Amino acid sequence: MRIELKKFGTTLISRQSGKEAFSAFQSTIVGIAKDENVEIDFDGVVTFSPSWGDEFLTPLLNQFGDRLVLFPTNNPSVKITIKLLEDINKRQFKIN
Amino acid sequence: MEEKLLNIAEAAEILGVSLDTLRRWDKNGKLVAIRKEGGVHRYYRQSDLDLFASDLIKIAREWTTEGSELPSMFYCENSAVFQTRLVKMQNAMAGSGLSENILPLVVAVAGEVGNNSFDHNLGKWPDIPGVFFGYDISKRQVVLADRGLGILSTLSRVRPELKTHVDALRVAFTEIVSGRAPEERGNGLKFVRRVIFENPISLFFRSGDAELRLKKDNNELFITRSQSVTRGCFTIIEY
C-alpha cells in the first residue's frame, strides 16, 4: 500500500497534526495484508519536520518494521528529519 | 504627490491594535502621530506604519520584556493560527523565488521553534498565551518569541540537576531525549542545529539570560550570558 503524504497537507510540521494524521490512517491499517509493504511517498510535500514525523512515521516503523518503506526524495527537510528520527529511535528506516 | 493620511481608526485597523494603544504609543513616543495644524486628531502615514511594523526584533523584544499589546498581524494565540500563518509564509517565500534547497528548511526550523513554544507551554502560560511570529521576505528574516516558561523551567522538570539557563540551552540543542517521559518531548531544537550546520541559515536564540548563536559549518555551541533576563524564548532566523 502506498501512502501519499501530500494528502495530509504540504506543510507537515506539528505533533498535533501528525497525531491526527496517524489517527485518521488507523482505519486503513486494518486492511493491510500481513505480507504487504507500507510505502511512504513524500512527493508533493513542501515542508516536513521531526515533530510531525515522530508522530506518524515512528509508530509505523514500530508497527511494520522492514515492511515500512520510504520512497527517496530530494526534499532537504525530509532527509534531515529521517536521519534525526533514526538517531532518536536508534533504528533505520528502509529506503526504497 | 503628498501621501494620504490615515485617521487613528484606520491605523488601528491596519496594525491590529486598539485606539487606546495607539494613543498611548503616541504619548510615550513609540509611534508618534501627526497632528494637522491647530488640530487635536491623530493621523498616520502608511509609510510610517510600514516602518513601525518592519522592525520585527524591536516589536518582539518589547512584547517579551514588557508584555505590551502586540499588533494582531504578529500574534498567534494558538497553534492553529500559527500553522496557518506558517503556510502563508511558505507560500510567500515560494513566490519570492527562494530556492527549494532552503525554503523547506527555513519553514521547518520556524515551525519547530514555534511549535516548541506551544507544546511546552500548553496550559502553563504564565500570563499571555501564544507566540509572536513575524517575517520579512526582503530582509530574509523570521522572528519568533513567546512569554512562556522558557527552556530552563521546562527542561528542569525532566532534568532537575539543571540550574542555569546556559546549561539548559546546551541540553536542549545537543542531547536527544529518547525516553519521552514524563511527557512527550520534541527533539526539534536538535533538528534546528543540524539544519543550520549544513545550510546557509543562521539562528539567534535567547531564553532566560542565555544566548545562543548558530551558523553554517560551525558545530560549536556559542552560548553566552546576556545582561538581562528574557521571558520565554526569543528567536531570530536569517537565511
Side-chain angles (χ1 to χ4, degrees):
Chain A
M1 166 176 290
R2 178 188 291 203
I3 307 170
E4 293 179 75
L5 287 191
K6 68 180 175 194
K7 290 187 177 168
F8 296 106
T10 59
T11 314
L12 306 178
I13 293 279
S14 73
R15 281 194 174 274
Q16 200 182 336
S17 69
K19 261 183 210 164
E20 283 167 11
F22 184 72
S23 167
F25 186 61
Q26 288 305 299
S27 58
T28 313
I29 285 182
V30 180
I32 297 174
K34 285 206 164 95
D35 56 351
E36 191 180 357
N37 280 350
V38 176
E39 300 169 330
I40 305 290
D41 185 352
F42 295 96
D43 193 38
V45 172
V46 179
T47 304
F48 196 72
S49 85
S51 293
W52 198 96
D54 195 32
E55 294 296 339
F56 192 86
L57 295 182
T58 299
L60 286 182
L61 180 64
N62 293 334
Q63 197 167 347
F64 293 97
D66 283 350
R67 285 166 56 210
L68 179 72
V69 180
L70 310 187
F71 280 11
T73 171
N74 286 326
N75 186 305
S77 64
V78 175
K79 290 203 267 191
I80 299 183
T81 294
I82 297 301
K83 180 77 183 59
L84 183 71
L85 290 180
E86 287 179 338
D87 291 349
I88 293 167
N89 296 314
K90 297 187 171 53
R91 195 169 175 184
Q92 304 283 304
F93 285 98
K94 192 170 170 185
I95 314 275
N96 187 13
Chain B
M1 197 175 86
E2 201 168 303
E3 194 174 349
K4 178 181 172 283
L5 293 179
L6 303 161
N7 65 36
I8 189 168
E10 290 167 326
E13 173 75 23
I14 288 168
L15 290 178
V17 296
S18 67
L19 300 185
D20 280 344
T21 295
L22 279 185
R23 289 185 191 111
R24 196 168 58 250
W25 286 356
D26 182 31
K27 273 185 199 153
N28 67 22
K30 189 169 169 176
L31 178 60
V32 178
I34 298 164
R35 282 184 176 73
K36 290 180 181 171
E37 205 176 322
V40 292
H41 296 298
R42 295 172 172 88
Y43 294 93
Y44 298 84
R45 289 188 196 94
Q46 179 69 51
S47 55
D48 287 344
L49 300 186
D50 293 343
L51 187 65
F52 175 80
S54 72
D55 198 342
L56 301 177
I57 294 172
K58 184 165 181 266
I59 297 170
R61 188 170 283 153
E62 285 179 358
W63 182 60
T64 52
T65 53
E66 299 160 16
S68 51
E69 190 180 351
L70 201 53
S72 62
M73 68 176 88
F74 300 123
Y75 181 48
C76 302
E77 186 181 358
N78 55 52
S79 60
V81 174
F82 178 64
Q83 296 305 317
T84 307
R85 293 193 180 174
L86 199 64
V87 173
K88 198 174 161 197
M89 179 179 82
Q90 179 178 275
N91 294 340
M93 285 176 170
S96 76
L98 185 62
S99 151
E100 59 186 32
N101 293 327
I102 288 294
L103 186 152
L105 297 172
V106 175
V107 178
V109 165
E112 285 294 313
V113 169
N115 282 321
N116 237 19
S117 296
F118 289 108
D119 290 346
H120 293 305
N121 289 294
L122 187 63
K124 300 174 203 141
W125 296 103
D127 50 16
I128 306 168
V131 302
F132 170 99
F133 174 42
Y135 54 90
D136 189 323
I137 301 288
S138 59
K139 285 186 193 165
R140 299 168 80 94
Q141 182 185 66
V142 183
V143 179
L144 292 131
D146 71 63
R147 291 177 55 84
L149 297 168
I151 300 290
L152 175 60
S153 175
T154 304
L155 267 185
S156 60
R157 271 181 272 135
V158 282
R159 298 285 173 96
E161 73 279 9
L162 289 173
K163 298 291 177 224
T164 70
H165 292 289
V166 170
D167 290 343
L169 225 57
R170 192 174 303 284
V171 168
F173 277 87
T174 56
E175 291 183 28
I176 286 177
V177 186
S178 56
R180 299 178 58 166
E183 60 176 10
E184 285 184 355
R185 180 153 299 282
N187 286 290
L189 297 179
K190 267 71 71 176
F191 170 80
V192 168
R193 186 179 175 209
R194 283 189 191 196
V195 166
I196 291 172
F197 177 60
E198 295 170 12
N199 295 280
I201 301 172
S202 70
L203 178 106
F204 171 83
F205 188 95
R206 181 194 285 160
S207 181
D209 66 353
E211 293 182 346
L212 166 78
R213 290 167 179 82
L214 293 175
K215 60 181 180 179
K216 186 175 188 286
D217 293 333
N218 195 333
N219 217 12
E220 292 280 314
L221 276 191
F222 288 112
I223 304 178
T224 53
R225 287 186 62 191
S226 61
Q227 303 216 324
S228 58
V229 175
T230 294
R231 178 71 167 278
C233 299
F234 182 89
T235 310
I236 304 168
I237 301 160
E238 288 174 321
Y239 56 94

